[in-house]
Amino acid sequence: MRTILLQVAVCLLVIASGCESLRFGSKQTAEETKKKPEVRQYVQADTGRWLVHDVNRPAPPVITPGIASTPDQVGKSPSDAIVLFDGTDLSQWTDTKGEPSKWIVRDGYMECVKDSGYIQTKRKFGSCQLHVEFATPATVRGNSQGRGNSGVFLMANYEVQVLDSYNNATYSDGQCAALYGRAVPLVNACRGPGQWQSYDIIFHRPIFKGKKVVRKPTFTVFQNGVLVQDHVELRGGTGWKGPHAISDFEPHEDALPISLQDHGNPVRYRNVWIRELAD
């Protein structure tokens, strides 16, 4: 009996000692925590230097997002976009001489007329987000570069190729979604002839200092929702200079028109809008 009582007493002492240690340990931890200074980190932004999670940091503007197009229904642009073509007229476009364009407008789209020349916006733009929808001819004629050829030019100098590249072999840096002569698309994401397709282009303009380019232009391009150019930096222009030659950089203004190419094929365009981006 004495042995049992002794064992019970020892257990009680051990438990009491443990509780005291826990109490003391908790108190010590709390004191140590109290002594640690609060970590305050700052980030540098265009609007200044801000504390992380600072509720006073300016919030972005609120916009209404657009609605994507379907093959039969044209979508809507975001509320802060500049609509360049809404399917009704060419009031925001001219030919390259500043005269009214001879491209045709009907059924909600504009169509290139052979030998009518390029069409370009009246307004000038630099860095931007550009949305363009296009359709190559439903009736297939020609091959390689002679089939559904056109192009979307940023600043009238840097081309995202438009071509019927659906089962149509050509040189890879000249197929649909290529940065002409410079960059091959990551994949061929083309739909068939006559079907509406889309480009969503994020473009940051080049910056020149005198005759020298100090920041090269970059392109990110989605074709039909698929990434085809991933923040590609151009190392020169995209102008055709011969079968195996391409243009170099030439200094130009900070803002220039968006233009669409007449390459002799009746390519159609619709739902063209743009959002200007800061440099």
Side-chain angles (χ1 to χ4, degrees):
M1 185 67 178
R2 288 181 179 178
T3 302
I4 294 174
L5 290 173
L6 183 61
Q7 290 176 343
V8 170
V10 170
C11 288
L12 290 173
L13 285 172
V14 170
I15 292 170
S17 176
C19 290
E20 182 64 21
S21 297
L22 287 172
R23 185 182 67 79
F24 179 76
S26 299
K27 182 178 179 181
Q28 188 177 34
T29 302
E31 289 176 352
E32 289 176 353
T33 302
K34 192 180 294 184
K35 292 178 183 178
K36 289 182 179 179
E38 179 187 0
V39 177
R40 296 172 68 86
Q41 293 181 323
Y42 291 83
V43 293
Q44 190 66 40
D46 293 340
T47 54
R49 185 170 179 264
W50 297 96
L51 181 67
V52 172
H53 305 320
D54 191 334
V55 295
N56 296 311
R57 188 172 178 178
V62 177
I63 69 164
T64 302
I67 299 174
S69 295
T70 67
D72 301 318
Q73 182 66 43
V74 178
K76 293 183 179 180
S77 62
S79 59
D80 64 342
I82 300 168
V83 178
L84 298 175
F85 179 68
D86 64 1
T88 58
D89 59 47
L90 297 177
S91 59
Q92 298 199 57
W93 301 78
T94 68
D95 66 15
T96 55
K97 297 178 181 179
E99 300 295 327
S101 173
K102 295 180 180 178
W103 285 35
I104 295 172
V105 176
R106 61 186 172 203
D107 299 329
Y109 61 81
M110 58 173 157
E111 181 176 296
C112 177
V113 175
K114 185 178 180 179
D115 298 328
S116 61
Y118 286 37
I119 190 171
Q120 65 181 30
T121 57
K122 292 180 178 179
R123 292 183 61 170
K124 297 179 179 181
F125 302 95
S127 300
C128 64
Q129 174 188 350
L130 177 66
H131 177 85
V132 178
E133 296 176 20
F134 65 93
T136 59
T139 301
V140 175
R141 292 190 176 92
N143 56 56
S144 186
Q145 293 293 300
R147 181 171 149 184
N149 195 327
S150 184
V152 178
F153 284 77
L154 282 295
M155 305 191 81
N157 279 277
Y158 310 105
E159 180 186 10
V160 181
Q161 172 77 315
V162 170
L163 191 74
D164 180 356
S165 290
Y166 187 83
N167 294 329
N168 178 32
T170 190
Y171 44 87
S172 58
D173 59 4
Q175 73 173 68
C176 198
L179 303 180
Y180 191 76
R182 292 286 177 184
V184 176
L186 297 173
V187 293
N188 182 336
C190 288
R191 295 190 175 119
Q195 297 185 46
W196 283 106
Q197 307 189 60
S198 65
Y199 280 155
D200 287 286
I201 301 167
I202 309 299
F203 171 74
H204 288 278
R205 71 174 181 89
I207 295 177
F208 294 93
K209 187 174 182 180
K211 294 184 178 181
K212 183 179 179 181
V213 59
V214 294
R215 188 186 76 180
K216 297 180 176 68
T218 61
F219 276 88
T220 296
V221 182
F222 290 84
Q223 181 184 4
N224 301 324
V226 178
L227 181 65
V228 289
Q229 299 286 355
D230 187 6
H231 195 67
V232 175
E233 182 181 78
L234 287 187
R235 299 185 179 183
T238 61
W240 190 84
K241 292 294 184 182
H244 302 289
I246 206 76
S247 62
D248 292 321
F249 283 123
E250 294 182 5
H252 54 67
E253 300 174 42
D254 292 344
L256 286 167
I258 304 294
S259 57
L260 305 176
Q261 184 185 39
D262 168 19
H263 203 281
N265 300 145
V267 176
R268 298 172 178 177
Y269 291 91
R270 72 177 188 183
N271 195 24
V272 183
W273 53 262
I274 192 169
R275 298 177 67 242
E276 295 179 288
L277 301 178
D279 288 322

